[in-house]
Amino acid sequence: MNLIELRNIHKSFEAHKALNGVSFSIPKGSIFGLLGPNGAGKTTSIRIINQIIAPDEGEVLFEGRPIRREDIQKVGYLPEERGLYKKMNIADQVIYLGQLKGLSKSEATHRCKQWFERFDLQKWWNKNVADLSKGMQQKVQFIATILHEPDLVILDEPFSGFDPVNAEILKEEILNLKQRGATILFSSHRMESVETLCDSLVMIHQSKVVLSGTTREIRQAHKSSEIELVFEGNTPDWMQGFSVAQTEDGNKVVLPMAEHSVNEWLQKALQSQLTIHSCRELIPGLNEIFIQIVQNSAL
Amino acid sequence: MRAIYLILSRELFVRVKTKQFWILSILGPVLMSAFIAVPIIIAKMDDSTQTIWVQDDAQLWKQQLPSREKLLLIPAPLKGQALIDSLAQDENLGLLTVTAEVFGKDPGKGLKFTSQSPMSLKVQDYLKENISKTVEDKKLEENGVSRAKLDSLKTPDFEFQSVKPEGSSQSSEKAFGLASVGSMLMYFFILIYGMQVLRGVSEEKSNRIMEVLISSVQPFQLMMGKILGIAATALLQFLIWIGLTMIVITLVLPAFLGDAAAGSANATPQSMSPDALSAMADVPGFLLVFFFYFIFGFLTYAALFAAIGSAVDQEQDAQQLTFPVTIPIIIAFVLAQTAVAQPHSATAFWSSMIPLTAPVVMMARFAYDAVAPWELALSMVTMVLSFVFFTYISARIYRIGVLMYGKKVTLKEIARWAFKK
């Protein structure tokens, strides 16, 4: 079952074509990555899902039927450009934003208290945004995004501005949301930041979908069938044809799996009395896959 | 509706919680009352008695010198160097020398005042009047005419009375006060609070909270909520002003000033006299009309200000674009001055029919009872229509403007947004 489905969406701004026949579906309860470089059309896609703008062509389905205005209350949105009122205390803001999403005042207040405790923000309850560190502001904004327990959580570049400790807390919370049954849409131009989290993804480049599928499928489909061996000892004769690089970890060599299997290569190495530090199959990251695709499409 | 209500209350409460709101709420009435009170208070506080020695060589005053409260005139008790020494020592002492030239063509040549500090304007006025009267009396006597005879021959001072056809009359001084205060307040509130709408919208944009808001509510709801919230703030402030001014004028001032207020009434500016202000209480109809024009005038202008605010990234970029919106209201203020002078003129009539100038001008005309019921009705209808029209246009601009970043927008582009499909 798909929570959201975009079908053949077209959208132009004046002469610029922002989306050119984009289609993708977000399975319910999954973490979904919307990837692509700046200007590819990610924000436009998100705005269409948020019903901030309407597509010129194509349709958006929510739980299998055309999306309706009131579905907006089931969506939580953390935009890339974070923003809160500077001169309003943070608890009031979070409660206000929750109310705009349909919560009653008492319910919003209750949940806000719980979240503030969870993120250790209680003593900041009455402070203004200007008094908070950037990391705390991010937390407040995150709370405002999910206070109404949306079915769909849209996070645009969620990790930018978080230090490693807080990024880890955020990651945990995202996984919690997933466990609770929420669907999460991640948008990022930094592919590697989300690849470990995403169940499936779509990659947009120049207003078109260039790649889609589950993260595992995509990486398997793009693996180069090579292994990387790190070892110590004299380079044996049979390695003559391969380039051996000397690194801090030891000597590094890339061997093609077309000739021998991993086991056979290892056997050879052991016979040559090499000390083996590591051996792994080379599976490209999303970044490399993306660059590969862009280069191929440019040819 | 719930969304608009939520946004409205936020706008109202955030503003009411600020210090500026209360400073302005209290300062307004205080400044207004001060206009009235300060001259009186100054007059009252100045209670030192000034002494003037008079050397009356012209025999102007036959018997008694014209002393009065706080001003003592006595014949100069000293002469020569001793006199000069005394004048140099005492700041409050002056010497008035009167010579026969005071009866000539230029009486000033016969009057000399010697003192360390110049004579105060009030004392000058008093002595001038007294001297010219005394000189007149003397000349009348020489010509065998008595003062009483002259007075009986003169036409007394008079004032015009404006009379409505039905027969009731209204003092035109009261109407003048009401017209000036009404149109000035209208101008002031629309401009100040209109700018607040602009600031509020561009603040949400530069804060980047806009994106979150319009993913929760429709842009139109956001715009209307903000405009209505700020209108509510303005109305609240206005009510506080009326309340406080009433309290100050009816309770505080009389208690504070006592009978001095009556004595120095002619020192207060005409338009601000307590009489004119208390006239506001006499005319609940005026207040009703004021509220109507304020609400619809404000909503019309606020929609335009919101549209401008949505088109810019930063408030600073807005200045050029606000010009076309502030010009009509400034013109309205100028036209209102004409309407005060000639409430029945064609200029006054037409400018009270055109919705962008009507709120300010109508205050001036209405105060003079110069508006026929059909005129008022027609003007009110155009106000409501203009509110609908400008809100519609502005909402279209707003909806596009709030998503535009990083581009300096021209008026031409804004106009195109308004009529785009």
Side-chain angles (χ1 to χ4, degrees):
Chain A
M1 176 77 178
N2 292 324
L3 183 71
I4 288 273
E5 193 177 338
L6 268 66
R7 280 193 187 161
N8 193 31
I9 302 283
H10 289 262
K11 179 75 191 176
S12 301
F13 297 108
E14 319 262 303
H16 172 66
K17 187 115 192 164
L19 292 177
N20 190 358
V22 167
S23 304
F24 60 83
S25 345
I26 307 175
K28 205 168 189 168
S30 70
I31 300 182
F32 184 87
L34 176 62
L35 307 179
N38 292 327
K42 297 187 302 284
T43 305
T44 307
S45 308
I46 291 175
R47 283 179 173 175
I48 285 173
I49 296 173
N50 265 324
Q51 303 181 64
I52 292 174
I53 51 177
D56 297 338
E57 231 180 275
E59 60 175 347
V60 180
L61 302 182
F62 191 90
E63 293 182 319
R65 49 147 179 90
I67 197 163
R68 292 193 291 249
R69 183 66 213 171
E70 56 271 26
D71 294 328
I72 208 68
Q73 305 219 327
K74 299 176 198 157
V75 181
Y77 175 34
L78 179 77
E80 177 181 4
E81 297 275 2
R82 309 294 150 74
L84 293 165
Y85 289 110
K86 291 204 171 67
K87 287 175 194 156
M88 186 179 178
N89 85 51
I90 54 171
D92 283 352
Q93 299 202 40
V94 171
I95 293 165
Y96 171 64
L97 293 172
Q99 280 181 285
L100 285 184
K101 283 288 190 184
L103 292 180
S104 70
K105 182 158 193 175
S106 57
E107 183 62 27
T109 312
H110 176 69
R111 290 189 195 178
C112 185
K113 267 186 194 141
Q114 285 182 332
W115 277 104
F116 270 48
E117 269 167 42
R118 188 142 164 189
F119 280 160
D120 208 16
L121 288 167
Q122 302 102 306
K123 59 178 178 204
W124 302 92
W125 185 268
N126 274 319
K127 297 280 181 186
N128 283 1
V129 172
D131 303 325
L132 267 60
S133 73
K134 199 146 184 224
M136 283 193 276
Q137 289 180 25
Q138 300 267 26
K139 285 179 180 171
V140 172
Q141 188 112 42
F142 180 76
I143 296 172
T145 307
I146 50 132
L147 195 74
H148 59 296
E149 296 182 352
D151 294 335
L152 177 65
V153 182
I154 300 176
L155 307 171
D156 199 351
E157 303 288 358
F159 295 108
S160 72
F162 271 99
D163 60 52
V165 178
N166 283 318
E168 208 47 50
I169 295 174
L170 182 63
K171 243 180 213 177
E172 254 170 59
E173 289 303 333
I174 290 166
L175 291 172
N176 277 342
L177 287 175
K178 184 190 170 184
Q179 239 167 19
R180 211 203 64 209
T183 308
I184 290 129
L185 170 62
F186 258 119
S187 165
S188 181
H189 68 275
R190 287 169 53 239
M191 327 274 169
E192 72 286 356
S193 71
V194 293
E195 66 185 309
T196 51
L197 277 169
C198 290
D199 301 316
S200 55
L201 58 91
V202 62
M203 218 178 253
I204 299 181
H205 179 54
Q206 290 176 345
S207 320
K208 283 185 179 164
V209 172
V210 289
L211 186 69
S212 67
T214 66
T215 313
R216 209 180 129 79
E217 276 166 14
I218 289 171
R219 292 180 65 180
Q220 288 295 325
H222 286 82
K223 66 182 180 183
S224 56
S225 305
E226 287 169 326
I227 61 165
E228 181 198 74
L229 190 71
V230 183
F231 64 94
E232 232 164 277
N234 292 329
T235 310
D237 292 344
W238 58 265
M239 268 190 207
Q240 288 303 330
F242 308 105
S243 64
V244 179
Q246 285 178 354
T247 69
E248 279 180 27
D249 306 328
N251 297 327
K252 204 179 258 182
V253 66
V254 175
L255 304 163
M257 281 160 74
E259 289 175 35
H260 299 287
S261 70
V262 181
N263 288 6
E264 285 164 356
W265 281 120
L266 272 175
Q267 226 158 18
K268 274 182 98 125
L270 290 169
Q271 276 164 10
S272 311
Q273 311 234 307
L274 300 176
T275 315
I276 295 172
H277 287 309
S278 74
C279 169
R280 66 181 182 99
E281 189 179 345
L282 283 180
I283 294 177
L286 290 175
N287 234 348
E288 289 154 65
I289 296 173
F290 178 73
I291 291 166
Q292 215 178 309
I293 287 172
V294 170
Q295 278 169 346
N296 289 345
S297 69
L299 287 174
Chain B
M1 274 327 272
R2 180 171 183 264
I4 293 182
Y5 168 74
L6 283 171
I7 296 162
L8 186 159
S9 355
R10 190 200 86 88
E11 296 294 334
L12 177 62
F13 286 118
V14 162
R15 285 186 167 70
V16 170
K17 271 189 203 165
T18 58
K19 269 187 219 133
Q20 292 101 298
F21 178 83
W22 290 105
I23 290 172
L24 201 61
S25 293
I26 291 168
L27 218 58
V30 166
L31 280 180
M32 264 206 230
S33 316
F35 258 139
I36 302 163
V38 166
I40 305 174
I41 293 172
I42 287 175
K44 214 190 172 194
M45 283 201 331
D46 184 20
D47 57 357
S48 62
T49 297
Q50 198 186 1
T51 309
I52 295 179
W53 288 350
V54 181
Q55 196 176 320
D56 189 5
D57 298 340
Q59 304 286 315
L60 182 60
W61 291 288
K62 270 182 274 176
Q63 294 125 17
Q64 214 176 353
L65 289 168
S67 292
R68 64 163 197 184
E69 206 185 337
K70 290 172 205 166
L71 180 66
L72 187 64
L73 286 101
I74 46 171
L78 298 166
K79 276 192 173 164
Q81 191 58 42
L83 175 64
I84 292 165
D85 286 347
S86 306
L87 286 171
Q89 272 165 24
D90 190 349
E91 270 188 35
N92 279 328
L93 189 64
L95 173 72
L96 178 67
T97 326
V98 186
T99 60
E101 272 174 290
V102 76
F103 298 114
K105 276 186 179 168
D106 186 358
K109 282 191 175 161
L111 297 163
K112 209 166 77 184
F113 186 70
T114 320
S115 172
Q116 275 186 314
S117 50
M119 200 191 288
S120 80
L121 284 175
K122 257 169 73 185
V123 172
Q124 268 188 40
D125 282 345
Y126 168 72
L127 285 180
K128 251 190 208 165
E129 199 185 324
N130 185 284
I131 290 170
S132 80
K133 210 172 167 193
T134 316
V135 169
E136 240 174 62
D137 280 347
K138 207 140 194 176
K139 286 179 179 169
L140 285 172
E141 206 183 285
E142 281 164 14
N143 287 285
V145 186
S146 74
R147 164 68 59 182
K149 181 80 186 164
L150 183 71
D151 285 348
S152 74
L153 291 175
K154 266 192 191 162
T155 314
D157 279 348
F158 58 86
E159 255 185 55
F160 288 99
Q161 262 186 302
S162 339
V163 183
K164 280 203 291 186
E166 299 91 79
S168 66
S169 69
Q170 195 189 5
S171 138
S172 76
E173 193 188 314
K174 262 191 187 180
F176 176 79
L178 212 52
S180 336
V181 173
S183 56
M184 201 169 76
L185 282 180
M186 184 68 77
Y187 167 78
F188 175 78
F189 269 93
I190 289 182
L191 201 59
I192 297 277
Y193 280 94
M195 287 305 284
Q196 284 219 16
V197 171
L198 186 148
R199 205 167 298 142
V201 172
S202 65
E203 180 205 2
E204 274 168 2
K205 231 184 125 181
S206 62
N207 266 354
R208 302 274 176 168
I209 198 168
M210 191 60 96
E211 189 107 11
V212 177
L213 295 174
I214 55 175
S215 71
S216 307
V217 298
Q218 280 164 325
F220 179 74
Q221 295 173 319
L222 187 57
M223 187 180 100
M224 280 322 285
K226 174 161 292 264
I227 290 174
L228 293 175
I230 292 175
T233 316
L235 282 179
L236 179 65
Q237 179 146 69
F238 185 68
L239 290 177
I240 295 174
W241 276 31
I242 292 185
L244 281 182
T245 309
M246 287 296 173
I247 291 172
V248 171
I249 286 174
T250 56
L251 299 175
V252 182
L253 277 191
F256 193 59
L257 300 169
D259 53 9
S264 313
N266 54 358
T268 51
Q270 197 182 22
S271 64
M272 289 294 176
S273 71
D275 198 27
L277 279 166
S278 69
M280 286 190 108
D282 299 344
V283 194
F286 184 83
L287 274 185
L288 277 181
V289 172
F290 183 93
F291 279 126
F292 177 87
Y293 278 92
F294 172 71
I295 289 168
F296 283 95
F298 177 78
L299 292 180
T300 299
Y301 272 99
L304 291 170
F305 277 117
I308 303 289
S310 75
V312 297
D313 288 1
Q314 312 271 329
E315 196 199 323
Q316 296 92 295
D317 302 340
Q319 255 146 32
Q320 221 180 335
L321 297 175
T322 45
F323 219 53
V325 184
T326 45
I327 285 289
I329 184 95
I330 293 169
I331 290 176
F333 187 65
V334 175
L335 288 174
Q337 311 311 308
T338 331
V340 167
Q342 288 171 303
H344 289 281
S345 65
T347 320
F349 171 77
W350 285 109
S351 55
S352 65
M353 290 298 141
I354 297 167
L356 287 179
T357 50
V360 179
V361 176
M362 194 53 107
M363 288 309 100
R365 292 192 69 209
F366 190 77
Y368 278 100
D369 268 332
V371 193
W374 70 267
E375 290 178 11
L376 190 64
L378 181 61
S379 167
M380 284 181 160
V381 170
T382 60
M383 284 307 300
V384 174
L385 290 179
S386 93
F387 153 67
V388 173
F389 174 75
F390 283 109
T391 305
Y392 174 76
I393 293 285
S394 297
R396 297 179 69 87
I397 296 170
Y398 184 89
R399 160 193 80 133
I400 296 174
V402 291
L403 295 172
M404 284 285 173
Y405 279 104
K407 200 171 128 186
K408 278 225 168 172
V409 181
T410 61
L411 275 176
K412 217 170 123 190
E413 267 170 290
I414 294 179
R416 221 179 43 212
W417 295 348
F419 299 104
K420 214 165 97 172
K421 63 153 180 94

